């Protein structure tokens, strides 16, 4: 079941530098929300606060009403959170299937010792997860690549591997950090289709950090615009693109005045 996300006054400060300044917004279950803004706006820092990689200086982050600030990744995974990163962190020498399988370890019974020993319950669950991962690759038309080392594939497929790895944890809340970066036009179109299917068929809430405004316009139900660590506005992608404050944040005040 899709999860809801709520941020209340999230502030992040490193020394004297305030990276995020009282950011608040809600994401309803089952929607696709874009988190956009110019470089340095604080988008990835906010993702890191949600996913536990950063501990906010103050504020609250809840998933379906449960406070998650300070939670370890294992607890966040149990609450249904999974994410991708700007730069896929893959084991390049391992096969595509083995890379995707890493996403299942958050839901396999036992722990590292059980996995290493191949205890019956863990071994059975791992076989089931492997079959699920293979079916996922087959459904994406990439069954042929399952046993190919990841370093033999393109950047676009590396992005796909990371997405499928995240999906194998069966998330109810999926964070995608610049999934279209470096992709061709055709790959972006395929990504849009994939994310829609993830939301609809897997009943998953999706939050996307992305600079590709074509993808944001085509895919999102709503966007939240950040600028210099603060929330600038919230609305549809069309409303954001027509908002003078957003135009100024992206292209600068002088250029915005010239355009006017």
């Amino acid at each position: 079941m899709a999860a809801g996300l709520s941020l209340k006054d999230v502030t992040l400060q490193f020394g004297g530098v305030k990276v995020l300044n009282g950011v608040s917004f809600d994401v309803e279950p089952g929607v696709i929300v874009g988190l956009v803004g110019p470089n340095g706006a604080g988008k990835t820092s906010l993702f890191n606060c949600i996913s536990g990689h950063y501990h906010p200086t103050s504020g609250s982050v809840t998933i379906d009403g449960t406070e998650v600030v300070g939670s370890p990744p294992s607890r966040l995974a149990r609450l249904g959170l999974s994410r991708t990163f700007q730069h896929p962190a893959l084991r390049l020498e391992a096969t595509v299937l083995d890379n995707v399988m890493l996403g299942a370890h958050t839901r396999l019974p036992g722990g590292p010792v059980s996995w290493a020993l191949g205890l019956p319950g863990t071994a059975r669950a791992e076989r089931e997860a492997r079959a699920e991962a293979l079916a996922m690759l087959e459904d994406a038309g990439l069954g042929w690549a399952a046993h190919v080392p990841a370093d033999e594939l393109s950047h676009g497929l590396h992005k796909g591997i990371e997405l499928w790895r995240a999906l194998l944890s069966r998330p109810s809340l999926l964070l995608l950090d610049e999934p279209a970066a470096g992709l061709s036009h055709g790959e972006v179109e395929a990504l849009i289709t994939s994310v829609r299917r993830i939301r609809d068929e897997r009943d998953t809430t999706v939050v996307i950090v992305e600079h590709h405004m074509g993808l944001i316009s085509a895919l999102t139900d709503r966007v939240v615009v950040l600028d210099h660590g603060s929330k600038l506005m919230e609305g549809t992608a069309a409303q954001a693109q027509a908002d003078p404050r957003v135009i100024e944040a992206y292209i600068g005040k002088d250029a915005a005045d010239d355009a006017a």
Side-chain angles (χ1 to χ4, degrees):
M1 181 180 295
L5 173 69
S6 181
L7 284 75
K8 302 295 184 187
D9 297 319
V10 174
T11 295
L12 178 67
Q13 190 163 333
F14 296 120
V17 179
K18 189 170 283 188
V19 180
L20 296 170
N21 184 22
V23 178
S24 299
F25 62 87
D26 296 317
V27 179
E28 298 79 12
V31 302
I32 301 175
V33 170
L35 187 60
V36 302
N39 289 330
K43 303 181 296 297
T44 294
S45 293
L46 189 60
F47 255 28
N48 286 338
C49 288
I50 297 169
S51 62
H53 292 81
Y54 289 166
H55 193 301
T57 306
S58 61
S60 171
V61 179
T62 62
I63 297 176
D64 277 346
T66 299
E67 179 63 59
V68 299
V69 168
S71 297
S74 57
R75 181 170 184 258
L76 290 168
R78 288 195 299 272
L79 289 170
L81 176 69
S82 188
R83 71 167 290 183
T84 66
F85 294 85
Q86 291 181 26
H87 306 290
L90 304 180
R91 293 174 52 204
L92 294 178
E93 79 286 353
T95 67
V96 169
L97 181 58
D98 284 341
N99 271 286
V100 173
M101 274 294 295
L102 293 173
H105 286 165
T106 58
R107 60 183 176 89
L108 290 179
V113 175
S114 300
W115 308 334
L117 294 176
L119 298 181
T122 302
R124 181 170 57 253
E126 187 165 358
R127 285 195 301 272
E128 292 171 355
R130 187 171 292 274
E132 183 180 342
L134 187 56
M136 190 184 299
L137 290 171
E138 293 281 2
D139 185 55
L142 285 166
W144 61 270
H147 303 292
V148 174
D151 64 0
E152 295 184 15
L153 302 179
S154 69
H155 171 76
L157 290 180
H158 286 177
K159 288 274 192 175
I161 294 168
E162 189 178 46
L163 175 58
W164 299 316
R165 181 174 63 193
L167 291 179
L168 199 60
S169 68
R170 298 177 181 172
S172 54
L173 173 61
L174 179 62
L175 309 182
L176 302 178
D177 196 352
E178 298 196 25
L183 300 188
S184 67
H185 176 74
E187 288 171 332
V188 170
E189 291 296 320
L191 175 64
I192 291 171
T193 300
S194 295
V195 175
R196 283 180 181 147
R197 287 185 62 190
I198 289 165
R199 189 268 300 274
D200 296 339
E201 297 178 8
R202 294 175 176 267
D203 192 18
T204 304
T205 305
V206 183
V207 184
I208 305 177
V209 166
E210 186 52 69
H211 287 285
H212 193 297
M213 291 307 295
L215 179 145
I216 290 294
S217 296
L219 189 57
T220 60
D221 299 300
R222 196 172 79 255
V223 299
V224 175
V225 183
L226 296 184
D227 184 37
H228 292 92
S230 298
K231 187 174 82 170
L232 187 61
M233 66 87 67
E234 184 173 355
T236 65
Q239 288 170 334
Q241 289 173 312
D243 191 307
R245 296 169 298 171
V246 177
I247 296 170
E248 180 180 325
Y250 269 99
I251 66 176
K253 187 177 188 309
D254 291 342
D257 289 343
D258 290 344

